[in-house]
Amino acid sequence: MKRKKKNWLLAACGLIVGAVNGLFGAGGGMLVVPVFSIVEKLEQKKSHATAVITMLPICLFSSIGYLASGVVEFKPLIFVMMGSIVGGLVGAFALCKIKNDFLVIIFYILMIFAGVFSILKQYNVI
Amino acid sequence: MQVVWLIIAGFCGGIIAGMGMGGGTLLIPVLTLFFGFSQKLSQAINLIVFLPVSIVSIFIYAKKRLIDFTVWWKVTLPASLVAVVLSFFAAQVSSSFLRVAFAVFLILIAVVQIVIFCYKKLKNGNSGRNNSK
């Protein structure tokens, strides 16, 4: 693929990534990783690492609407943040070492469960 | 006690986020299902929590030369513009709508990922383990 065409494709993917991330407050990263590995042919670890820097400004901009509307409660935010900074360190070092297929599949299955439970709970089935 | 669980939830989400696998996809349902937070609050928490986490991760990756600095902004620029607009929209719509939409999105993306994963396995299965490259 030509460079110019690739750039347009990246920008188009960016529009989708931004929409998803702004609306759902998550998920942009999961979409960006395959974009980099397919369009730019980056190897797996590089796609993941580059996805993190790509998502930083996107998440910053995504949080503006939420902050402006005043839904944010800062007390739980601080505690989750404390845990996740440590977790983030562990995860970033882990990425440089492991690639466990089993864990990846477990993670996706958990996602499906989480989605199904959310819907069931919303409609008071459980 | 809830404080301890919040920190643990953040820790788990942080690990996955740091690995560039989408920590929020796990953290948001945990916050809504186990802590009873509204969908909007959970989404907002996830977004803001990711900021320091990603800065820490970026330093580690940059040191290991894993970041491709030539392409990221090509996605980031258009994405950021759309993201601001959609975040204002998300803050306006009802939390229950968002919750169901998010759940459908989760299921969809997980199924797609599993299909891609299996496809790759089948394709590379005969030539032994294939770790990137």
Side-chain angles (χ1 to χ4, degrees):
Chain A
M1 218 188 304
K2 285 210 185 90
R3 186 67 256 172
K4 206 174 170 187
K5 211 172 160 192
K6 270 189 187 174
N7 288 345
W8 281 109
L9 191 58
L10 287 175
C13 292
L15 293 178
I16 299 169
V17 168
V20 166
N21 210 69
L23 185 60
F24 295 134
M30 303 202 79
L31 301 177
V32 167
V33 172
V35 167
F36 285 145
S37 58
I38 294 167
V39 180
E40 289 293 334
K41 303 264 184 290
L42 296 187
E43 63 152 313
Q44 192 158 15
K45 278 182 190 174
K46 271 199 168 177
S47 305
H48 282 261
T50 309
V52 175
I53 192 171
T54 308
M55 291 314 296
L56 174 62
I58 301 174
C59 283
L60 187 67
F61 281 102
S62 299
S63 58
I64 294 176
Y66 297 89
L67 285 169
S69 76
V71 287
V72 184
E73 287 172 37
F74 288 94
K75 220 176 113 190
L77 173 72
I78 295 295
F79 293 121
V80 176
M81 197 180 267
M82 280 161 54
S84 60
I85 291 174
V86 183
L89 271 170
V90 175
F93 277 114
L95 174 64
C96 306
K97 291 204 171 68
I98 57 157
K99 179 72 195 73
N100 192 324
D101 293 342
F102 180 69
L103 277 181
V104 172
I105 284 294
I106 292 282
F107 177 66
Y108 294 140
I109 292 173
L110 269 179
M111 272 173 67
I112 294 177
F113 271 111
V116 172
F117 273 109
S118 296
I119 292 173
L120 292 179
K121 209 163 181 187
Q122 183 60 44
Y123 292 111
N124 291 320
V125 183
I126 49 167
Chain B
M1 197 55 208
Q2 201 202 26
V3 168
V4 178
W5 285 112
L6 280 173
I7 295 176
I8 293 173
F11 179 74
C12 298
I15 292 183
I16 299 169
M19 291 173 78
M21 271 176 64
T25 46
L26 188 82
L27 185 59
I28 292 175
V30 165
L31 291 177
T32 57
L33 291 170
F34 296 136
F35 294 91
F37 291 175
S38 79
Q39 182 71 25
K40 274 182 219 174
L41 174 60
S42 308
Q43 294 186 180
I45 286 181
N46 177 59
L47 285 170
I48 300 169
V49 155
F50 178 75
L51 303 176
V53 175
S54 63
I55 292 172
V56 170
S57 309
I58 288 168
F59 274 110
I60 297 173
Y61 296 148
K63 243 184 169 175
K64 305 221 176 219
R65 300 186 181 280
L66 283 173
I67 297 176
D68 187 324
F69 286 101
T70 59
V71 292
W72 68 279
W73 58 272
K74 293 175 186 171
V75 177
T76 300
L77 277 183
S80 301
L81 289 175
V82 185
V84 186
V85 178
L86 266 287
S87 73
F88 275 95
F89 174 74
Q92 294 307 314
V93 297
S94 74
S95 253
S96 50
F97 166 77
L98 266 188
R99 192 176 185 182
V100 175
F102 178 71
V104 172
F105 170 72
L106 267 192
I107 297 169
L108 267 181
I109 208 165
V111 170
V112 170
Q113 297 278 13
I114 289 175
V115 171
I116 293 174
F117 182 86
C118 293
Y119 172 75
K120 272 189 189 161
K121 279 284 126 183
L122 283 175
K123 217 173 91 182
N124 301 328
N126 300 329
S127 53
R129 272 185 73 82
N130 183 317
N131 270 357
S132 65
K133 276 206 175 164

